[in-house]
Structure formats: structure tokens, C-alpha cells
Amino acid sequence: MILGCTNISLPKNLQTQSKYLTQEQAQLRSQQVSNVHYQLNYQLTGQENFRSQTTLNFEWHGGDYPLRVDLDQAHINKVTINNQRFYPDYNGDFLLFKATLLKDGQNQIVIDFTRKHSTNGEGLNRFVDPVDHNVYLYSHFEPAAAHQMFASFDQPDIKATYQLTVTAPSDWTVISATRESNIQQQAKNKIWHFPISPKLSTYNFSMHAGPYKLWQDNSGKYPLRLLARQSVASHIEPKAWFKYTKNGLKFYEHYFGIPYPFKKYDQILVPNFLYGAMENAAAITFAEGTFLHKSKRTESQKFILAEVILHEMAHQWFGNLVTMKWWNGLWLNESFASFMSFLAIAESTEFDYAWRNFYSESKQSAYHQDGLVTTHPIEVPVASTVNAFDNIDAITYSKGAAVLAQLRHLLGDEVFRQGVHYYLTQYSYKNATLDDFVSALGQIANRDLSTWRQQWLYKASLNSIQADYQCLNHKITYFNLLQSPTDSNFPTLREQKVNVGLFKLGHKRIYQTKKVTVTYQGAKTPVDSLVGAACPDLVYPNVDDWGFVQVNLDTKSFHTAEKNLNLVEDPLLRSMLWQSLWDSVVSGKLSLSDYIGVLLVNAPMETDYTILSQLTSSMVRASDDLSKIQPSHQDYANQAQKALSQLAIRMVMSNTHDSSIQRLWFNTYIDLASDSESLAHLQQLLQGNDPLDGITSDSQALDQDTRWHIIKQLNRYGVEGSEQLIKNELKRDASDTGQKAAIAAEVIRPVASIKREWLNKIFDNKLTFSKLSIAMKNLYPSEQSLLSEATAEQRLSMLPKLNKLGPVYMRAYSSSLIPTSCDQTGINRIEQVLTDNQGISELVKRNLLEHKQAEQRCVLIKELLKP
């Protein structure tokens, strides 16, 4: 509703302004202004500061509450309101304009300011390439950082148009949401003029500038460009980028039934990026650290490239064309893009195993997150912008995507697609809510989805299902699906459609004998269609992975799976059974030693790349767990870790015929190397003294990424001479990625003085965040428990003091540096911090609770170990 000129009654909780915008303040401001148009003018020199003039044009709808304009840490040069000079009271976070300064209808505020470029990944970031000293700029605004680059109404439901003018050095390229309409030469600079953009939320707009290397592809319906720093250009494969981009645009236009909303498609690789990628309208940014490889890309790296390109592309419709009203709706943007990216991969690329990847990676992260004490509903309230990313996790992305996939099965593929088309058509260039989305699907499906919405989106945790059946004379006499909550604190039972499969153990194979589709709800659902079927050796009540549910195998099925995994023909089922075994370790039903035994027997026979990725990850995870449970089982832990390492190198040598699988095993071997023999072997490989067929030979050497990987592992265990290897390698690779790899290798060394030195650097927060976050992640690996204990109390005591550094910093710090020791002492220490609870943010409290739970699980694994 648009307010008239009557006074706005100001709630008490709106009377105190903080740097973070609350939802209520945002709702008030969206009533105050409309029809917003930004004119943005920038003078960019490559130096630490930039100058800008923001002109805000908007309609004012009255009231006596002042208007807030967000602008972060700027030096104000001049402000005018409707051509009248104004001297604002500026607090470094925003400006407040009294309502009496504004007039009903059209208004204009012009703010001329100077500001430092950001180096923390938000706002307008500046990066100096250490190789050629070129300067590169890129913007990042999500969730609410646009006001670090221009004065704005920085909230998603005040969509606006943008007109950009940029003065920059002549050899620079400037990229934004629209393609430039004119470029003027001016002495040593060029002035870039951009046409008015479509309506966008502030976080969807962007600007990037610098002497970027540019590749173009105009062979498709829309002009495509790919940009990256000049010093890394040789490591880019533009052909792959353009292939997945063109395939995706074609697929999405057909699926959504709506043309791509923008006139061009740019993709920019940028350094020190906080996240994997960002869906800025028509100018998508990607993290170099994820997509820049100095070695031949592995199968998984190729898949990740396609998945992220298609994820960000889906946002161009779902997120940019139609945008949430407030940050509580961010999950729907991300869940939908995650779901759509896997659908697009499966149907428009060579990766026909996409949904198996979805199960083994995305869904597993969701199951893990949903099983934590900090689990939360998919949709949660967001009080202010500081809380926008508090619950952005695997529940937001992957569980939400899995729930949407389940809804698609429940409604039917075509009904779901038509519902999405209807939603996007109804709300194009507007803002929408979850209710709008669910209502659109319900209208097309002719079904009330309110119960479904309540069960799946507003209730936390997940359910488990198990087959309950009996056989007589080799035939099933009854068959039920039993559903139960995995946590008694979250008792909600849900409706879901799954496939139930029956399997028999034959000669050298386990094969399917029957499959039925069941829509179940409540605690018990009879499946009469299975009565009379041949008695199975294994039942899996979620074949094809339609459901988001934890499968508990019945006793007979569990033993069949444990002893005959390599005989299961269906790769997806094999993957799910492997996961059931690992889940049994985590829940205390299977000892880690038994699981490792199954791994050692079955992993060598596995040939599927996706499943091998799953198994090698679990091998590394098991090795880390073994490190944590020492010294109580030191002899067994050392033997088991060496056995895993020896298995990995044997598989490297026996897979010379398949480079992708061989490379997967070799990277696993590096991660697992901890005994003196394996570490000495790695040292010989690094020096080129021990050729390994397919990895090193007369015709090829170790690539740069692998060299750093080995150097880090050698330093992790303090191998003699490994510290000098860091210095030598930096001479070979002085790039940004090389410098970060060197930091990781240095901080991971088991040397107390190094730990202290880097911990002080982390506390001081004077280095760029990208380097500090690398240090945080690598400072205390699992086996360095004594070194970790030496600073444990200090790291915990610093939590309240470090809160002022903001959520981005604290998310990294509390994830990596809360101490754990796999014993009751570690649990008690965390409990004490939670009890004191002084100056600890909700984000940090959440991480403390998760670390406590991890400690409890580690203790359980240690107690159940059977060497």
C-alpha cells in the first residue's frame, strides 16, 4: 500500500537507527519512495580511492519520518536536494533527510563523495595483480553492500533503473548490466556511457573495470563475453564456458517459456571473491579460486563449471527478473537455481549422471546440516541485513533444491514447469514472496499446497523411513513404510512420493525384482502392491532418490549391503548404500574400523567416477577422524591410515588407462599421505626423481596446482626441507594463487611459533580477508591437537572482541578456529563459552553449538572403534 501525505506512525523499534537495515525499516522506506532511478558517475584511476556522484531520482509519498539513504564509509564532498545545497549529518553508514526537505512527487538527491575501494570482497573491490601490477576492480553487493559503492536505498524490494557513466584509464574495459552505448576518448582516459538498465534490485546491479582479457562468442542468439585477468588468461578455456552458456540459455528459454531478460551475457573471473559466483544481471562474477586451474581439469572440475554457470544463469529469471521482497526469501532464489542447474545439466550437457552428483554431494551436505542441533526451517525470519546470511547454508541451497525436486515429482513434471512459467510471467520485473510462488504452482496444479508448504518450508529437520515387512514361504505377507522424525524435538511427519525397490542377491550381482511408486504420509503407510512379491534380500525405500529422507535399512538389507556392495548393479543405488553405511558410522550403529574394512575391500573394484569421488572423500574424512581419536588407538590409527594411503597409490598405478580416475586417486593419495614412506615418495615425485606412469614421466611434469598440493602436505607433517620448498616454489609461481598456496603451506606447519605469528595476524585483521581466511582454514589440522590446545583458550576468549569485524570475518573465524579435542574436556569448554554468552553473536553461537555436536560425535566414534 502507498501512503499518502498523512503522518507515518513510527514504531518504537524504528526510532533507533543502526548501520544494519531492519525489515521494518525497509518496509517503511518502500512505502516512502517509488519509481527510483539512479544516475551513477564514476572517476576511476586505479588508485586506492574512487570518486563518484550518485543522483537519486524518486517519487516521495510523504509522512514525517526521515528518509534514510545508505552510504558506507564515504567522504562526502557535496549534497544537494532538489538543486539546493545541503550539509548532512553523516554517521559513516547512512544519511537521514528530514521529510520537510522533500516534496510530494518527484525528488532528486545528488551526493558527490570519495571512498576507498574495498578489499574484503564486498562493495567495489580493488586488486593489484602481483605478477604484472595491473589493477582490477569488481563489485559485489549481496546481501546488502551496494551502499559501499553508491548512495542507495539498499534493499531488494525497491527496484530501480540505472544509468552509468564511467571515466577510466584508456586500456581498461568497463562491464555492467547493459552493454556500453558510447565510448569517448579523453586524454589518457575513456568515458564509458551505458544506457538505462531494466528494473533491478540494488544487489543485482554491478560494475567491473580493468585491463581484462576478453573473449567473445557471437554465434548464438545473444552476444557472449568472458573476461579474466591478463596474467591468468592462459589457464582459461573459453570454449567450455561458451558451450555450457549457449546450451543453458537455449534450455532455460524453452523451459521457462520466457526469453532471456537481458540483451547480452558477460561472465567475469575475479580474484579474492567471497563466494563461488554471483548472479549480477548480465554480468556474472566467478571466483578465480574455484574455476582457475593450472592443471588439466578433472572430471569433477568440469562438472562444477557447468553447474555453477547454469546455477547463476537460472537466477537471471528467478532472482533478477522476479526478486524476493526481503532477505527471508533468499532461500527460494538459491534453492530454485540449485534445482534448475542440475535439471539443465542433465538435459543440456554431456553429464548424464547429474542427479547422482546431486545426491552424493548437494543432498549429503543438506542431510548433514539438517541433522545438526542448529537445524532450521527452510524459510526463516530475517530481522535485519546483518542476519541475511545467518542461515544461508546447505539447508538453504541443497535441501531447498531437493524439496523442489520432490514437489516436481509430486505434482508432475509438466504441471511444475507450467506453474513456474505462470509465476515468472505474473511477477516479471517485480518482487514476490514465497506465498506468491506456492500459489502460482497450486493454481496450475489445481491443488491446495498450504499443508505441503507448512510441512516442508516452515518445519525444521528431516524424517527417516524404513521398510517393515514379513515373508512366509518366500513371499511377502505384509509391507509397510514406517516414517519417523530423526529428532524428537521436530516431530513433523511429511507427505512424499518415493519409489520402493526390491532386490535379490544372485550370482555375482544384486538385481532389482520389483519397483513401485508410493505416496506416503503419517507414521505408517501400507504398500499392498508388494504383498505376494518374492521375498527380497535387500529393500531400498527411496530408489531413484526422489525423496528427501534418511533411509534406515532393515537388518537383512543392511547386512546384504555391507557384504556385497560391489555386486549392486545400479550406480545410484550403490552410492546410496555407501551413504547408508557412513550414516551408520555417524549415528553409532557401525564402527569406523568396520567401515574402513568395507572400504578397503570394495573401493578397489569401483569404476564409477561419481561413486569414487564419494568414496575417496570418505577415506579422507575417515583418516581425519583417526587423527582425532589418537592417542587412545594410536597403533590402529597409524596402521589404518597407512593402509588407506597404500590403497590410494595402488589405484593410481592400476588406473593409467583412465586419466580422470587416476587423477582422483592421486589427489586422494596426497591428502592421505601421513606416514614417512608416503611422504618420502611425494618428495621424490616433486623432485622428479621417481616417475609415476600417467602422473609424471619423461614427457610431463607435475602441474603447478599439484606441486603446491604436495608442498602443503609435506609441510603439514614437517618433513625435513619442506619449509625451503615453499620459498623455492614462490620463485616459480609468484601469482596470487601461488601466494595463497604458500600461506596455506606455511601456517599448516607443526611449529608453535608459526601458529602464534599467524594467529596474531588473524587477530590484527590487517591482511586482505582472502589471505586471512586461507590461514584460518589451515592453521590447526586434525592431527595437531597439542598445538591447537596451546592457543585454545585465547581463540575462544577473542570471540566477543572480534565480533566488531562483521559477519563475513566471524563466519570464517568461528568455522575454523573454535577448538576441538574429541573428548569431554572439549565439550565442557564449548559449553562454558555458551553459558557465559557475553558479546557472542547468533552466528557464532550457532557455530559453537555445531562444534559441540561434532565433539560429541567424535567421542562416540572413538568409543565404538574396534581395532
Side-chain angles (χ1 to χ4, degrees):
M1 180 178 69
I2 300 297
L3 295 180
C5 295
T6 57
N7 289 344
I8 297 174
S9 177
L10 182 62
K12 288 184 179 180
N13 58 351
L14 295 183
Q15 293 174 4
T16 302
Q17 295 269 4
S18 75
K19 66 182 295 184
Y20 298 108
L21 187 73
T22 69
Q23 183 175 13
E24 290 172 285
Q25 290 167 344
Q27 289 171 339
L28 176 64
R29 187 162 63 180
S30 67
Q31 295 171 337
Q32 292 176 309
V33 300
S34 65
N35 293 329
V36 179
H37 172 63
Y38 295 99
Q39 293 169 276
L40 307 176
N41 192 304
Y42 288 89
Q43 291 81 47
L44 305 176
T45 63
Q47 300 303 308
E48 290 188 354
N49 295 329
F50 66 90
R51 184 164 184 171
S52 178
Q53 179 176 285
T54 299
T55 302
L56 296 93
N57 303 281
F58 59 93
E59 289 186 15
W60 171 253
H61 300 289
D64 58 5
Y65 186 58
L67 176 65
R68 169 173 167 156
V69 175
D70 304 309
L71 180 62
D72 178 80
Q73 303 304 312
H75 173 76
I76 306 293
N77 302 316
K78 184 180 179 181
V79 177
T80 63
I81 304 177
N82 298 323
N83 296 318
Q84 298 295 312
R85 185 74 180 264
F86 175 70
Y87 298 90
D89 182 14
Y90 175 52
N91 63 5
D93 299 311
F94 54 84
L95 303 93
L96 283 179
F97 296 90
K98 292 181 179 179
T100 53
L101 296 170
L102 302 167
K103 58 185 181 181
D104 290 344
Q106 194 66 36
N107 286 260
Q108 183 181 85
I109 297 175
V110 181
I111 303 174
D112 187 289
F113 66 92
T114 306
R115 191 192 190 278
K116 276 191 173 184
H117 288 287
S118 301
T119 58
N120 66 347
E122 297 181 315
L124 184 58
N125 289 267
R126 175 178 178 267
F127 176 83
V128 182
D129 194 319
V131 175
D132 56 20
H133 307 296
N134 279 328
V135 175
Y136 295 90
L137 311 179
Y138 66 89
S139 68
H140 179 77
F141 298 152
E142 191 178 30
H147 63 288
Q148 295 184 35
M149 192 182 101
F150 61 96
S152 61
F153 307 127
D154 201 359
Q155 60 189 76
D157 65 335
I158 300 183
K159 284 197 166 187
T161 53
Y162 303 78
Q163 189 166 22
L164 178 65
T165 303
V166 179
T167 302
S170 291
D171 61 338
W172 284 22
T173 298
V174 182
I175 309 103
S176 189
T178 56
R179 183 68 64 83
E180 69 278 0
S181 55
N182 185 30
I183 304 175
Q184 294 175 285
Q185 188 70 46
Q186 184 190 69
K188 295 182 180 180
N189 295 321
K190 287 182 179 177
I191 304 176
W192 295 67
H193 299 275
F194 293 83
I196 296 175
S197 74
K199 274 193 171 184
L200 298 168
S201 297
T202 46
Y203 83 94
N204 293 141
F205 183 71
S206 68
M207 182 187 76
H208 324 284
Y212 285 98
K213 167 72 175 176
L214 186 150
W215 297 268
Q216 298 187 71
D217 185 327
N218 296 318
S219 62
K221 189 174 178 181
Y222 303 98
L224 310 180
R225 297 193 301 183
L226 178 66
L227 300 99
R229 289 187 290 136
Q230 294 184 33
S231 67
V232 302
S234 61
H235 304 296
I236 307 298
E237 296 183 45
K239 185 177 179 181
W241 286 79
F242 290 140
K243 179 182 75 170
Y244 297 132
T245 303
K246 285 187 287 188
N247 288 355
L249 287 168
K250 182 178 179 181
F251 172 80
Y252 284 136
E253 285 198 328
H254 172 74
Y255 188 89
F256 294 138
I258 297 173
Y260 170 61
F262 310 106
K263 295 180 180 180
K264 54 92 177 180
Y265 204 90
D266 292 336
Q267 297 174 106
I268 309 104
L269 281 93
V270 297
N272 294 347
F273 201 59
L274 284 176
Y275 309 104
M278 176 61 201
E279 67 268 18
N280 314 305
I284 299 90
T285 41
F286 294 81
E288 282 183 355
T290 303
F291 302 99
L292 182 64
H293 308 293
K294 297 180 180 179
S295 59
K296 184 179 179 181
R297 285 182 302 149
T298 65
E299 187 74 8
S300 61
Q301 288 168 344
K302 294 175 186 176
F303 184 92
I304 289 169
L305 175 64
E307 194 270 319
V308 178
I309 286 175
L310 294 170
H311 177 107
E312 306 307 329
M313 187 180 292
H315 276 308
Q316 304 303 310
W317 285 266
F318 210 107
N320 297 0
L321 179 65
V322 179
T323 313
M324 71 237 160
K325 282 186 182 289
W326 182 244
W327 298 109
N328 61 313
L330 182 58
W331 77 267
L332 183 56
N333 279 8
E334 299 302 344
S335 294
F336 188 85
S338 296
F339 161 72
M340 286 303 306
S341 66
F342 279 91
L343 182 62
I345 292 171
E347 299 192 14
S348 70
T349 76
E350 69 271 28
F351 303 110
D352 56 2
Y353 54 81
W355 288 114
R356 290 202 284 121
N357 260 29
F358 181 70
Y359 170 79
S360 63
E361 296 182 10
S362 296
K363 278 185 104 168
Q364 293 318 309
S365 62
Y367 285 137
H368 170 75
Q369 193 77 44
D370 220 12
L372 296 178
V373 292
T374 54
T375 186
H376 55 84
I378 292 177
E379 168 122 351
V380 294
V382 175
S384 76
T385 52
V386 73
N387 308 115
F389 275 9
D390 280 1
N391 292 299
I392 297 301
D393 52 26
I395 292 176
T396 308
Y397 280 75
S398 301
K399 180 181 179 179
V403 167
L404 291 174
Q406 166 60 201
L407 181 59
R408 179 171 174 252
H409 289 302
L410 199 62
L411 300 181
D413 297 357
E414 183 57 22
V415 169
F416 182 85
R417 189 196 68 79
Q418 289 179 14
V420 170
H421 168 78
Y422 178 67
Y423 169 77
L424 292 174
T425 302
Q426 289 290 104
Y427 297 99
S428 289
Y429 300 105
K430 299 175 185 177
N431 296 88
T433 64
L434 170 63
D435 286 350
D436 296 327
F437 176 70
V438 174
S439 295
L441 294 180
Q443 286 185 56
I444 298 301
N446 194 27
R447 172 176 170 168
D448 182 1
L449 292 173
S450 56
T451 299
W452 177 90
R453 178 185 60 198
Q454 191 66 25
Q455 290 178 347
W456 282 103
L457 306 180
Y458 292 113
K459 300 294 183 181
S461 195
L462 72 157
N463 304 122
S464 64
I465 54 170
Q466 181 172 327
D468 170 43
Y469 64 97
Q470 180 175 292
C471 292
L472 185 64
N473 298 325
H474 308 293
K475 298 290 184 181
I476 294 175
T477 56
Y478 71 81
F479 194 106
N480 299 308
L481 276 183
L482 304 182
Q483 180 182 196
S484 59
T486 57
D487 186 333
S488 59
N489 295 314
F490 303 101
T492 301
L493 300 180
R494 299 170 172 90
E495 177 188 10
Q496 200 162 187
K497 181 185 282 188
V498 296
N499 288 325
V500 179
L502 308 184
F503 298 85
K504 289 291 289 183
L505 175 61
H507 180 63
K508 294 185 178 181
R509 69 186 186 118
I510 292 177
Y511 58 95
Q512 182 175 290
T513 58
K514 194 172 183 64
K515 181 171 74 172
V516 297
T517 300
V518 179
T519 300
Y520 71 86
Q521 52 189 323
K524 180 179 177 180
T525 301
V527 186
D528 296 335
S529 57
L530 290 178
V531 174
C535 193
D537 294 308
L538 185 150
V539 178
Y540 200 83
N542 188 25
V543 170
D544 303 322
D545 190 39
W546 284 12
F548 184 81
V549 64
Q550 179 178 296
V551 172
N552 293 333
L553 295 175
D554 63 89
T555 302
K556 183 178 182 182
S557 297
F558 183 88
H559 290 308
T560 299
E562 185 182 12
K563 298 181 184 302
N564 304 280
L565 261 171
N566 62 304
L567 302 183
V568 177
E569 292 180 317
D570 177 20
L572 176 57
L573 177 61
R574 202 156 67 245
S575 175
M576 291 191 289
L577 290 171
W578 271 113
Q579 190 59 47
S580 291
L581 292 182
W582 179 255
D583 290 342
S584 297
V585 174
V586 174
S587 63
K589 297 175 184 176
L590 182 69
S591 76
L592 180 62
S593 48
D594 285 344
Y595 178 79
I596 291 173
V598 177
L599 264 177
L600 292 171
V601 170
N602 289 277
M605 291 177 276
E606 185 57 66
T607 58
D608 182 88
Y609 184 89
T610 300
I611 298 176
L612 275 175
S613 297
Q614 180 182 354
L615 297 188
T616 53
S617 294
S618 73
M619 288 169 66
V620 175
R621 198 159 56 236
S623 182
D624 280 343
D625 284 342
L626 289 170
S627 296
K628 294 173 186 175
I629 65 178
Q630 296 192 47
S632 54
H633 299 289
Q634 187 166 356
D635 289 342
Y636 169 75
N638 290 339
Q639 292 170 11
Q641 286 175 318
K642 187 171 183 178
L644 291 171
S645 175
Q646 290 177 335
L647 168 62
I649 190 60
R650 286 202 310 272
M651 298 313 297
V652 171
M653 292 187 280
S654 63
N655 279 282
T656 55
H657 60 285
D658 189 321
S659 61
S660 293
I661 287 180
Q662 186 186 39
R663 176 64 62 172
L664 176 62
W665 276 114
F666 186 61
N667 286 331
T668 304
Y669 173 57
I670 298 172
D671 288 332
L672 291 172
S674 60
D675 61 280
S676 57
E677 182 181 337
S678 300
L679 292 167
H681 183 215
L682 287 181
Q683 203 166 19
Q684 291 296 311
L685 288 172
L686 189 68
Q687 295 167 356
N689 296 333
D690 189 1
L692 186 58
D693 190 19
I695 301 297
T696 62
S697 63
D698 294 337
S699 60
Q700 68 183 63
L702 292 172
D703 59 75
Q704 190 60 65
D705 291 343
T706 304
R707 291 183 64 84
W708 278 119
H709 191 181
I710 292 174
I711 289 169
K712 176 183 169 183
Q713 193 71 1
L714 294 176
N715 276 276
R716 176 174 179 170
Y717 291 96
V719 173
E720 185 178 356
S722 57
E723 188 174 18
Q724 185 61 40
L725 291 175
I726 302 174
K727 299 174 183 177
N728 295 343
E729 204 66 24
L730 270 175
K731 295 176 182 177
R732 179 189 182 112
D733 178 21
S735 67
D736 175 60
T737 53
Q739 291 182 12
K740 291 174 183 172
I743 290 173
E746 180 184 350
V747 302
I748 208 169
R749 288 181 59 76
V751 179
S753 59
I754 292 176
K755 305 296 183 188
R756 292 280 185 185
E757 177 187 352
W758 272 98
L759 193 58
N760 288 333
K761 289 180 181 179
I762 291 168
F763 292 153
D764 290 342
N765 192 37
K766 291 180 180 177
L767 291 177
T768 60
F769 176 75
S770 61
K771 292 181 177 178
L772 290 179
S773 62
I774 291 287
M776 292 179 196
K777 291 175 186 175
N778 291 281
L779 199 56
Y780 295 108
S782 56
E783 74 282 353
Q784 295 180 12
S785 56
L786 292 178
L787 289 167
S788 177
E789 280 297 308
T791 64
E793 295 297 335
Q794 182 186 15
R795 279 143 53 202
L796 287 172
S797 67
M798 287 295 291
L799 286 172
K801 300 176 185 177
L802 296 173
N803 260 334
K804 63 183 180 182
L805 298 177
V808 171
Y809 179 97
M810 290 309 298
R811 190 176 297 111
Y813 182 92
S814 57
S815 296
S816 301
L817 292 179
I818 291 174
T820 55
S821 53
C822 198
D823 55 26
Q824 190 59 45
T825 300
I827 296 171
N828 294 341
R829 182 166 52 203
I830 293 174
E831 285 179 341
Q832 185 61 52
V833 177
L834 287 166
T835 301
D836 293 343
N837 197 23
Q838 294 180 358
I840 296 176
S841 67
E842 285 300 311
L843 185 153
V844 173
K845 180 181 177 183
R846 173 177 168 167
N847 274 310
L848 284 164
L849 289 167
E850 290 175 359
H851 277 74
K852 176 186 171 184
Q853 187 175 12
E855 286 280 77
Q856 292 168 330
R857 287 178 171 178
C858 187
V859 170
L860 177 63
I861 288 173
K862 182 164 62 174
E863 290 173 347
L864 292 174
L865 193 69
K866 299 184 295 184

